[in-house]
Amino acid sequence: MNLLGRKKDKSAEAGGAAPADSHGDVGAADGDERTATAPKGRPTPKRSEATRKRGPVAPAPMTSAEARKRRKDLRGPKLSRDERKTDKVQRRADMADRRERMMAGDEAYLLPRDTGPVRRYVRDIVDARRNLLGLFMPSALGLIFVMLAVPSVQVQQLMSPIMLVLVLVMVIDGFILGRKVNRMADEKFPNNTETGWKLGFYAASRASQLRRMRAPRPQVERGTDIASRRP
C-alpha cells in the first residue's frame, strides 16, 4: 500500500523483501561515508595524515607536590647563586643596551609607532621647534602647587581662568604644529599614506613632553632647518 505518495523499494517490489533495518548494514554504510568525508570547507585529509598517531600525553598531576616537581623539571637545571647573579647582570645589560639603541633611534629597537622615515622626519620637525606644548605640564603642576599652597577663595577664582587660557593656548599651538607637520611631510614624502590626524597627534604628543624626556632622544638641535635635510 502506497502511503502519502511514498515509493516502495525496488527490491521490495521485486521480491517482497523487507527493507534493511535502520541499525543494520545501511546504517553502517552511512556511518562509514560520514567518517570518510571531510567536513564542509575543509580538504579531504590524506591517508598518511588520517592514520598519523600523536605521541603520548603526560597525565595531569594528582598532587601539588607532583605539580611542583613537574614545573622544576620544565625549568631546567637549577642554577647556583653565582650563576643566577651572572644571569641577572647579563639580562640587565641586555635591557640597558636595547634601551640605549632605542633612545638613539635605531629602527630595529624602536616601538611600532616610531618606526619609518616619516615618523623620524616628524620627530625632527618637533625637536627643532620651540613648542609651547612642552610648557603645559610644568605650568599645570605649578598652578596646582599654588592652589594647594594658598587655599584661598581669591586664588581659586584666579587659577581657574588661568588654567582655561593655558589649555586654549596649548590647543592652538598643537593645531599649528599639526598643520606644519602634515604640510612638510607631504612635501618631503609625496607617497606618504599616513593620515593627517595620526601625524598631527603624534607630533603634538611628542611636543607636550619635556625635551630631555622624549623617546627616542632628539637627534637635531633647536633651530635646525629640517626642510633642507635629506630624508
Side-chain angles (χ1 to χ4, degrees), residues 84-102 109:
R84 289 197 304 270
K85 185 182 295 186
T86 303
D87 183 66
K88 189 175 182 179
V89 171
Q90 183 63 34
R91 283 190 282 107
R92 286 184 177 179
D94 293 340
M95 291 177 60
D97 181 66
R98 288 195 298 268
R99 175 170 175 76
E100 182 60 30
R101 289 175 181 270
M102 185 269 292
Y109 296 88

Side-chain angles (χ1 to χ4, degrees), residues 43-63:
T44 303
K46 297 181 181 179
R47 184 180 298 274
S48 59
E49 295 177 355
T51 58
R52 184 182 302 167
K53 295 182 180 180
R54 296 183 178 180
V57 179
M62 302 299 294
T63 61

Side-chain angles (χ1 to χ4, degrees), residues 129 131-140 162-178 204 207-208:
R129 180 177 179 267
N131 306 284
L132 293 177
L133 281 169
L135 302 176
F136 177 75
M137 291 301 297
S139 302
I162 292 179
M163 183 68 73
L164 291 177
V165 171
L166 179 63
V167 171
L168 182 61
V169 171
M170 298 301 110
V171 170
I172 293 175
D173 186 62
F175 179 77
I176 295 174
L177 176 61
S208 63

Side-chain angles (χ1 to χ4, degrees), residues 110-150:
L110 291 179
L111 296 176
R113 66 176 185 182
D114 299 323
T115 56
V118 179
R119 294 298 176 102
R120 179 186 292 271
Y121 188 62
V122 170
R123 291 196 300 270
D124 291 343
I125 295 174
V126 174
D127 297 336
R129 180 177 179 267
R130 295 186 180 274
N131 306 284
L132 293 177
L133 281 169
L135 302 176
F136 177 75
M137 291 301 297
S139 302
L141 293 176
L143 292 176
I144 293 174
F145 177 77
V146 171
M147 292 173 64
L148 296 177
V150 188

Side-chain angles (χ1 to χ4, degrees), residues 3-223:
L3 297 177
L4 300 178
R6 295 180 180 175
K7 295 182 180 180
K8 295 183 178 179
D9 190 85
K10 294 182 179 180
S11 60
E13 291 179 356
D21 189 8
S22 59
H23 298 287
D25 297 336
V26 177
D30 294 341
D32 295 341
E33 184 178 356
R34 284 194 298 269
T35 56
T37 305
K40 279 188 175 181
R42 300 181 182 178
T44 303
K46 297 181 181 179
R47 184 180 298 274
S48 59
E49 295 177 355
T51 58
R52 184 182 302 167
K53 295 182 180 180
R54 296 183 178 180
V57 179
M62 302 299 294
T63 61
S64 59
E66 186 179 353
R68 286 195 300 270
K69 183 177 182 301
R70 185 174 298 182
R71 286 196 298 269
K72 288 182 180 179
D73 294 340
L74 293 175
R75 232 183 270 134
K78 188 176 181 180
L79 301 177
S80 64
R81 178 179 296 181
D82 294 337
E83 290 174 343
R84 289 197 304 270
K85 185 182 295 186
T86 303
D87 183 66
K88 189 175 182 179
V89 171
Q90 183 63 34
R91 283 190 282 107
R92 286 184 177 179
D94 293 340
M95 291 177 60
D97 181 66
R98 288 195 298 268
R99 175 170 175 76
E100 182 60 30
R101 289 175 181 270
M102 185 269 292
M103 293 296 292
D106 192 341
E107 288 286 335
Y109 296 88
L110 291 179
L111 296 176
R113 66 176 185 182
D114 299 323
T115 56
V118 179
R119 294 298 176 102
R120 179 186 292 271
Y121 188 62
V122 170
R123 291 196 300 270
D124 291 343
I125 295 174
V126 174
D127 297 336
R129 180 177 179 267
R130 295 186 180 274
N131 306 284
L132 293 177
L133 281 169
L135 302 176
F136 177 75
M137 291 301 297
S139 302
L141 293 176
L143 292 176
I144 293 174
F145 177 77
V146 171
M147 292 173 64
L148 296 177
V150 188
S152 62
V153 178
Q154 291 80 6
V155 173
Q156 299 287 340
Q157 294 177 353
L158 183 62
M159 290 297 106
S160 297
I162 292 179
M163 183 68 73
L164 291 177
V165 171
L166 179 63
V167 171
L168 182 61
V169 171
M170 298 301 110
V171 170
I172 293 175
D173 186 62
F175 179 77
I176 295 174
L177 176 61
R179 292 285 299 271
K180 179 180 180 180
V181 162
N182 281 279
R183 176 178 54 80
M184 294 181 67
D186 291 339
E187 292 176 357
K188 201 74 172 180
F189 302 93
N191 298 326
N192 176 32
T193 58
E194 294 200 53
T195 60
W197 167 256
K198 287 184 177 180
L199 287 182
F201 184 78
Y202 178 73
S205 62
R206 183 174 178 84
S208 63
Q209 303 171 1
L210 296 178
R211 184 178 177 87
R212 65 175 63 92
M213 298 178 62
R214 294 172 185 173
R217 192 181 299 111
Q219 304 295 319
V220 296
E221 298 294 333
R222 286 194 179 101

